[in-house]
Amino acid sequence: MAAIKVHGYHASTLTVMVLCCLNEKEVEYELVLVDLPTGAHKKPEYLALNPFGVVPTIQDGDLTLYESRAIIRYLAKKFQGQGTNFLGSTLSEEALVYQWCEVEGQSFNPPALSIVSQIVFVPMRGGSTDEAAVEMNVEKLEKVLDIYEERLSKSKYLAGDFFSLADLQHLPCTHYLVNACGKGDLISSRKHVNAWWEDISSRPTWKINFT
């Protein structure tokens, strides 16, 4: 069986999330470089795979799939019997995994990504950080993380006592918050959230991409 092709960029945390998933599942893959700094993601060859012009995109046989959350969900289901079990062992556990995946997408990611965009990406494009927008989104994220703190006081990971897709989905944006935005206090000031972050961000399959 041919290796899965991952079209992505090594400095893209969403690409790294997919690679982390593949490594956790012990699946062979080939990383096909999409050189973002030279605009390769906006060229016809790549747009033929992903019309939105973002990374990553995977090719698995006849399947071409983009959107990183959809990719890791596909990989978790296809390779459910090997490597890390991202979905739990019962229907109820799987339901909780998907619940917390939705929480990440709907409640955590919007304010977190807004903070990252204002502090990291806007200045990279020559703009100025909107401090009011940062402050507003920090307040929103604090409320979300207070709920996380309560949840993580009762279970090691978000969906239970096993590392799941829900935890994996938090790695890219939280990595930026902590390491590029100077917002690590949002995590470290909450005992259980901090323990959870220290755990998931220390997984060898994630760390290997930043050494």
Side-chain angles (χ1 to χ4, degrees), residues 17-70:
M17 180 177 73
V18 169
L19 300 183
C20 178
C21 180
L22 285 160
N23 287 323
E24 291 275 350
K25 298 303 287 183
E26 301 169 4
V27 175
E28 184 181 354
Y29 63 88
E30 174 191 353
L31 178 61
V32 181
L33 179 65
V34 181
D35 194 23
L36 301 187
T38 63
H41 56 307
K42 300 299 184 183
K43 292 181 179 176
E45 297 85 355
Y46 186 71
L47 291 173
L49 295 175
N50 184 338
F52 293 99
V54 294
V55 295
T57 299
I58 69 166
Q59 289 179 295
D60 185 17
D62 294 333
L63 175 69
T64 299
L65 188 65
Y66 46 84
E67 292 298 334
S68 57
R69 291 172 181 81

Side-chain angles (χ1 to χ4, degrees), residues 5-168:
K5 289 185 178 180
V6 181
H7 298 264
Y9 186 65
H10 54 83
S12 155
T13 53
L14 292 176
T15 298
V16 171
M17 180 177 73
V18 169
L19 300 183
C20 178
C21 180
L22 285 160
N23 287 323
E24 291 275 350
K25 298 303 287 183
E26 301 169 4
V27 175
E28 184 181 354
Y29 63 88
E30 174 191 353
L31 178 61
V32 181
L33 179 65
V34 181
D35 194 23
L36 301 187
T38 63
H41 56 307
K42 300 299 184 183
K43 292 181 179 176
E45 297 85 355
Y46 186 71
L47 291 173
L49 295 175
N50 184 338
F52 293 99
V54 294
V55 295
T57 299
I58 69 166
Q59 289 179 295
D60 185 17
D62 294 333
L63 175 69
T64 299
L65 188 65
Y66 46 84
E67 292 298 334
S68 57
R69 291 172 181 81
I71 291 170
I72 62 173
R73 188 172 293 198
Y74 165 74
L75 295 171
K77 293 290 282 188
K78 177 170 182 177
F79 301 104
Q80 195 161 1
Q82 69 186 69
T84 301
N85 181 0
F86 284 122
L87 300 174
S89 55
T90 68
L91 181 59
S92 295
E93 288 179 347
E94 186 171 344
L96 285 171
V97 171
Y98 291 146
Q99 171 187 278
W100 284 99
C101 284
E102 288 299 314
V103 170
E104 185 274 332
Q106 303 296 326
S107 298
F108 176 90
N109 194 64
L113 185 58
S114 293
I115 295 166
V116 171
S117 295
Q118 285 295 332
I119 294 177
V120 178
F121 299 129
V122 169
M124 282 175 60
R125 301 186 187 108
S128 299
T129 297
D130 184 338
E131 296 295 347
V134 172
E135 184 178 349
M136 179 183 69
N137 282 289
V138 165
E139 290 177 3
K140 289 180 181 179
L141 188 55
E142 285 180 327
K143 292 176 182 177
V144 174
L145 289 171
D146 286 343
I147 295 171
Y148 279 45
E149 179 69 6
E150 171 66 18
R151 170 59 179 170
L152 292 165
S153 71
K154 298 173 181 175
S155 63
K156 186 176 182 181
Y157 300 102
L158 288 171
D161 289 324
F162 60 98
F163 180 68
S164 77
L165 284 186
D167 306 295
L168 178 62

